[in-house]
Amino acid sequence: MGKHISGQPLSRVSRRGIAIAAASVLAVGTVVTTSAVSRHASADTAPVGGLPATVSADALPTVQIDGVAWAQVTVGNTVYVTGSFTQARPAGVALGGTGSVTRNNLLAYDITTGNLITTFNHSLNAQGLAITASPDGSTVYVVGDFTSVDGATHNHIAAFSTATGALISTFTGNLNGSTKAVTANDTTVYVGGSFTTANDVAHQHLAAFSAAGAVLSWNPSTSASVTPTNSTATAIVTAMVLTPDGSRVVVAGKFDHLDSDARTGLGAVDAVTGADEPWAASNPIADYGATSNLTSLTADATQVYGAGYYYTHGGNFEGRFALNPDTGAIVWMNTCHGDSYATFPMGQVLYSASHEHDCSDIGAFSQTTPTPIPALHHFGAAETTYATGTLHPAIFTVGGGPTYYNFGGEPSGTQLDWYPTFTEGTYTGQSQAAWSVSGNSKYISYGGEFPTVNGTAQQGLVRFAVSSIAPNKVGPTGLVAPTVVSQSSGTARIGWEAASDQDNTTLTYAVTRDSSATPIYTTTLNSTFYNLPALSYVDKNLTPGSTHSYKVRVTDPFGNTVLSPATSVTIGSATADSYTASVLASGPVAFWPLSETAGSALAYDRAGGADLTMGAHGTFGVAGPHAGSTAVSFQGDPTIPGTFIPPSTIVAPVYSTSTSGSDATASPLSTYSVEAWVKTTSTTGGMIAGDGLWQANDSQVEDRVLYFDSS
């Protein structure tokens, strides 16, 4: 979780890495930009800790579109894409540029090359919304809003041969309304949506056709009760998938009844008879009605996966989940807050399209502001297909939106270190980037309305590959010039914040001195964009009065390297006072004497590299707690939410020690000790220190608060 005090920003820190930040907030009124060292394992293209490897974050050149790709299915090495678009063009070509061709809402491309398949060229007269293939790969079925294909009448459903690429004109399926979901076996295609007839026979939102398009007797139905929180109930079906053994069709949508049985947006029916199947009463997910929905269902050989969202009311779940296909019981759920739209399992990794903005429930990144900022959304993610732990309790609300439902204690998986950067598109007006994901055993394909990926123009479609066939050129980012200070005679302390990498957790750092490229110090540790440890090294036996410059070099497991700018320092000759020496002898995680001169921007850490960036409320240079020492004074404002510091408070040396084990920098550091010298003239009371949820604004939740009361 991010830390906050006095309405001032602190660094982004996960719940699994709070030790130094939690201690550092004792420097009352400062703006703390440090976080704890984290050594917990996270997976990537070179995984540690036994977690599965992801594909590389390298965005591979792929055919582009001019609209949105709502859905994809991969047959062998061919990706079939449907959505709302009118044009396709090669990778690297601007909209309307050379090589642009007409493709109305449907296309196919080769996932190994990214090139458009020119022999598959069909035109839907309106958008396609879902697509699937028969298990034998011979047929692709597309459903949506269209009523004609290549000028011939095909109401909301069409079939195509993968062998020839031809429209199967003899497929006679016909639906009278929008069709949003489709799944198939080798003889039957199942559909769901808002339609009420199939081949002119009454079917309330669910129907099945033979491979020739004849409507079958399979006829379950969905319905919705009109309530104050569901005044626009439609009971439409939005997702469906066959279970691994083919015996059941799992159905999701805005309904609250499946046939006559209560099912809050999720249930299953027999694949042959259509009879409603028993469903786990313990399944806690209830996303249905006007403002919530389960948008995706997929399956592998053992599990069914889903994704969904809710907003303000009518639902309770955002994120992804896995179900037992025989019972509907939850295997795990990852409540990453932010709408989730699609999932695709590849081995032991589940890839998803979403706009997640807070995954602290599963021990990953937390939201950095009270209201989610689209620029901070993560539109593509990866997580384990199996449970690795349990959810933390949900603890906050979001900017006037929902109070997140508390699924604490439910089994959860691990979010993996795979964070390609998609930019949001403008085509749908929904501030979204990726809407769909598909792939095979070597490639993943994302589709949506994004204009760029990893900063490069790549509109609507993009591929990623396993590391053995990927360029593996995505490297570390975020490394800045180190902070170098001579804190005692003949020494230089080099401090820096860890870098992050979009697809690698473990990074190696090397410190170099002056013009030499040979390291004087190297270390390897784990970091993510949301957990950036503070590192340091003390260069000793230097000549007082001499000047030296230092750089830090960071390298990922594939040799991608970033070199920081240099920072120079003049070596001092001062010796540590007895108090400082005694604190350092106790082995603190961090120690801030707060003895810098007036106007300083930083408060230096004497025990490591976790320097504090000072906010506007602190003044250096006031008298400290012992002879010859100085401290920092603060003027808190109890009328401003989040600023609980007593007026006229002086704080001097602050340090933190761990009592959780021999590794004081390990994460999670749930047990620690803090010490600070505090002097105040206040009689109103207020917070000296505490853990907060956000870097700025009211954190809504405070933890481990050390405070004065009015006495």
Side-chain angles (χ1 to χ4, degrees):
M1 290 165 57
K3 302 296 159 219
H4 130 271
I5 190 169
S6 301
Q8 301 301 320
L10 301 141
S11 66
R12 292 176 293 184
V13 189
S14 78
R15 285 176 172 166
R16 295 184 177 178
I18 64 173
I20 292 179
S24 69
V25 296
L26 290 179
V28 178
T30 60
V31 182
V32 183
T33 58
T34 180
S35 61
V37 175
S38 172
R39 288 180 166 81
H40 68 278
S42 183
D44 46 42
T45 52
V48 294
L51 291 172
T54 65
V55 294
S56 168
D58 295 275
L60 303 179
T62 309
V63 62
Q64 303 178 85
I65 57 174
D66 62 344
V68 59
W70 289 123
Q72 306 172 83
V73 67
T74 305
V75 179
N77 289 326
T78 300
V79 183
Y80 296 88
V81 183
T82 193
S84 176
F85 49 86
T86 60
Q87 186 190 92
R89 65 189 191 276
V93 173
L95 186 64
T98 302
S100 298
V101 295
T102 298
R103 284 296 186 275
N104 287 315
N105 307 316
L106 185 66
L107 62 77
Y109 79 87
D110 187 325
I111 202 169
T112 67
T113 64
N115 295 333
L116 182 72
I117 296 177
T118 58
T119 56
F120 187 83
N121 185 5
H122 300 283
S123 178
L124 310 182
N125 72 330
Q127 65 182 352
L129 296 174
I131 190 168
T132 196
S134 57
D136 64 10
S138 65
T139 308
V140 167
Y141 300 96
V142 182
V143 299
D145 292 341
F146 58 88
T147 57
S148 72
V149 181
D150 300 339
T153 298
H154 286 270
N155 286 313
H156 307 287
I157 184 169
F160 300 86
S161 167
T162 59
T164 65
L167 171 69
I168 302 175
S169 59
T170 56
F171 183 84
T172 57
N174 177 27
L175 299 153
N176 74 333
S178 182
T179 308
K180 304 177 184 299
V182 59
T183 189
N185 58 33
D186 289 336
T187 61
T188 306
V189 55
Y190 302 87
V191 294
S194 59
F195 55 83
T196 57
T197 67
N199 289 11
D200 300 320
V201 177
H203 280 263
Q204 191 71 13
H205 308 145
L206 288 164
F209 298 98
S210 71
V215 68
L216 303 179
S217 60
W218 190 84
N219 197 3
S221 64
T222 62
S223 59
S225 304
V226 177
T227 66
T229 59
N230 192 23
S231 59
T232 58
T234 61
I236 63 173
V237 172
T238 55
M240 56 201 311
V241 70
L242 279 157
T243 56
D245 66 0
S247 66
R248 312 169 103 205
V249 180
V250 183
V251 180
K254 293 180 173 292
F255 52 85
D256 59 22
H257 282 77
L258 185 55
D259 284 338
S260 59
D261 294 325
R263 298 285 186 263
T264 50
L266 182 64
V269 294
D270 187 278
V272 177
T273 68
D276 187 32
E277 291 282 295
W279 196 249
S282 60
N283 188 323
I285 293 174
D287 277 359
Y288 64 102
T291 57
S292 65
N293 193 206
L294 296 179
T295 54
S296 169
L297 291 170
T298 55
D300 60 15
T302 60
Q303 296 180 141
V304 169
Y305 305 95
Y309 72 90
Y310 81 102
Y311 180 71
T312 70
H313 58 258
N316 65 1
F317 179 79
E318 286 188 338
R320 282 83 61 185
F321 59 85
L323 302 177
N324 180 314
D326 298 321
T327 66
I330 292 291
V331 178
W332 56 259
M333 56 168 58
N334 285 355
T335 50
C336 277
H337 303 302
D339 301 357
S340 289
Y341 299 110
T343 63
F344 180 79
M346 177 181 177
Q348 292 184 308
V349 179
L350 185 71
Y351 294 90
S352 59
S354 71
H355 67 231
E356 61 186 30
H357 51 80
D358 186 285
C359 291
S360 56
D361 291 1
I362 64 171
F365 60 90
S366 59
Q367 189 171 298
T368 56
T369 58
T371 301
I373 299 173
L376 300 179
H377 288 167
H378 298 275
F379 297 108
E383 56 211 325
T384 57
T385 58
Y386 53 90
T388 58
T390 57
L391 289 173
H392 300 296
I395 58 173
F396 66 94
T397 62
V398 176
T403 299
Y404 289 134
Y405 189 86
N406 186 5
F407 289 108
E410 291 284 349
S412 67
T414 293
Q415 187 155 72
L416 307 177
D417 193 359
W418 186 75
Y419 297 103
T421 55
F422 297 87
T423 51
E424 65 182 78
T426 60
Y427 186 79
T428 67
Q430 299 186 59
S431 300
Q432 180 58 18
W435 289 97
S436 64
V437 58
S438 182
N440 57 23
S441 63
K442 294 183 178 180
Y443 292 89
I444 290 293
S445 172
Y446 271 78
E449 58 182 302
F450 46 85
T452 71
V453 184
N454 295 345
T456 298
Q458 181 62 56
Q459 188 176 5
L461 295 168
V462 70
R463 303 171 296 138
F464 303 94
V466 296
S467 62
S468 61
I469 55 176
N472 299 306
K473 294 300 183 182
V474 173
T477 61
L479 189 66
V480 299
T483 300
V484 186
V485 59
S486 183
Q487 296 173 316
S488 61
S489 180
T491 68
R493 191 231 61 184
I494 303 95
W496 70 97
E497 185 178 73
S500 64
D501 193 296
Q502 291 172 289
D503 58 8
N504 289 121
T505 300
T506 303
L507 303 176
T508 298
Y509 300 85
V511 177
T512 60
R513 183 200 307 128
D514 299 330
S515 60
S516 175
T518 301
I520 60 173
Y521 172 73
T522 59
T523 188
T524 298
L525 80 165
N526 297 337
S527 62
T528 59
F529 77 88
Y530 57 87
N531 194 349
L532 301 174
L535 297 93
S536 66
Y537 172 69
V538 178
D539 193 13
K540 301 178 180 179
N541 302 316
L542 303 171
T543 302
S546 62
T547 298
H548 297 280
S549 66
Y550 296 88
K551 297 178 183 179
V552 176
R553 185 170 65 237
V554 58
T555 306
D556 73 7
F558 293 90
N560 299 299
T561 297
V562 175
L563 183 65
S564 78
T567 302
S568 297
V569 66
T570 298
I571 306 304
S573 58
T575 57
D577 61 75
S578 59
Y579 176 80
T580 296
S582 66
V583 171
L584 292 174
S586 71
V589 175
F591 172 42
W592 300 277
L594 301 179
S595 58
E596 285 72 25
T597 59
S600 295
L602 292 176
Y604 293 106
D605 178 9
R606 293 293 297 266
D611 300 330
L612 311 183
T613 299
M614 299 301 294
H617 300 296
T619 303
F620 282 106
V622 303
H626 56 88
S629 69
T630 59
V632 177
S633 66
F634 302 98
Q635 294 291 323
D637 185 350
T639 67
I640 301 175
T643 52
F644 307 117
I645 303 167
S648 306
T649 299
I650 299 172
V651 179
V654 184
Y655 68 91
S656 169
T657 59
S658 168
T659 59
S660 63
S662 59
D663 183 2
T665 58
S667 176
L669 187 58
S670 59
T671 305
Y672 54 87
S673 300
V674 291
E675 180 172 320
W677 293 77
V678 183
K679 176 183 178 182
T680 182
T681 60
S682 170
T683 59
T684 61
M687 183 173 70
I688 300 169
D691 296 350
L693 181 64
W694 287 311
Q695 299 173 13
N697 304 91
D698 184 358
S699 281
Q700 298 188 10
V701 174
E702 303 277 351
D703 187 24
R704 305 199 227 196
V705 178
L706 180 66
Y707 64 97
F708 289 114
D709 64 20
S710 59
S711 62

